[in-house]
Amino acid sequence: MNRAHDEEFHRYVAARGPALLRAAMQLTGDRGEAEDLLQAALVKTYLAWERINDRGSVDGYVRRAMVNTQISWWRRRKLEVYPTDVLPDRPVDDHTRRSEMHDALGRALDRLPRRQRVAVMLRYYEDMPEAEIAEVLGVSIGTVKSTVSRAVAKLRDDTALEHDFAEVHAIDTDS
């Protein structure tokens, strides 16, 4: 690959790496595995970089590479759980609580007005800087800041979200 493509790829990884790592975390549930998965997907993307004509679709390419790689890893793994009469010392994390909290937060975000929801999603889920969000939404940076601030305040005051989180916490402490 030529030097210009190398630099373009490095800029892409620097800009989108954190958001892609969060996507990998959603696939694996483990930070170390997520980093390995993202690295494998970025290697595939780097090798195909010159063939990717639409630079706007690179995130989709990387995410698809992560999904395909994760599926391949699942298929290759041997059974690593062996029945035993002895219980492990530490409890097993069933991910139920995290899933219920994620669902509750999703419902709370759905209750926000569209512009606030989009601003929060771009800021915190996609980890975009305020200037980039302003450009995407076609508004000023100050508008982005105030929109995100109002959205976060609404989420803090959302009694339904507070109730959902309290229920999840109660379920977690009961077990």
Side-chain angles (χ1 to χ4, degrees):
M1 196 168 357
N2 67 37
R3 186 167 177 75
H5 281 108
D6 278 353
E7 290 174 8
E8 184 181 14
F9 180 78
H10 288 287
R11 281 192 306 273
Y12 168 76
V13 172
R16 299 298 300 148
L20 293 169
L21 181 59
R22 282 192 303 280
M25 283 286 297
Q26 291 295 316
L27 288 170
T28 65
D30 177 78
R31 178 147 182 114
E33 285 185 37
E35 290 170 350
D36 291 344
L37 180 62
L38 177 58
Q39 187 67 32
L42 288 174
V43 166
K44 291 177 182 180
T45 305
Y46 177 78
L47 294 173
W49 191 254
E50 290 179 332
R51 295 188 314 269
I52 301 173
N53 296 325
D54 181 9
R55 293 296 191 236
S57 65
V58 176
D59 277 5
Y61 185 95
V62 174
R63 285 187 173 112
R64 173 52 51 196
M66 284 192 293
V67 168
N68 291 343
T69 302
Q70 181 70 9
I71 290 170
S72 294
W73 289 355
W74 286 337
R75 289 179 180 158
R76 274 191 239 137
R77 286 194 179 127
K78 294 181 180 178
L79 181 63
E80 295 179 3
V81 177
Y82 302 99
T84 180
D85 290 335
V86 179
L87 293 175
D89 290 338
R90 24 181 212 136
V92 177
D93 183 8
D94 67 359
H95 305 290
T96 304
R97 182 170 172 255
R98 268 187 286 171
S99 178
E100 289 171 354
M101 289 177 74
H102 184 270
D103 292 344
L105 185 56
R107 288 190 301 273
L109 287 170
D110 288 342
R111 289 190 290 271
L112 290 176
R114 183 181 182 281
R115 184 183 217 174
Q116 288 181 0
R117 183 175 55 250
V118 169
V120 167
M121 296 295 287
L122 292 175
R123 183 69 184 108
Y124 297 108
Y125 279 78
E126 291 295 324
D127 200 27
M128 290 174 75
E130 291 158 343
E132 197 173 328
I133 296 169
E135 186 177 316
V136 167
L137 297 179
V139 297
S140 71
I141 293 174
T143 300
V144 170
K145 289 179 179 182
S146 63
T147 301
V148 169
S149 176
R150 283 193 307 274
V152 170
K154 277 188 178 185
L155 289 171
R156 281 189 188 119
D157 294 339
D158 190 333
T159 55
L161 177 62
E162 186 176 328
H163 174 71
D164 286 348
F165 275 10
E167 275 186 9
V168 171
H169 181 69
I171 290 168
D172 188 46
T173 56
D174 288 344
S175 47

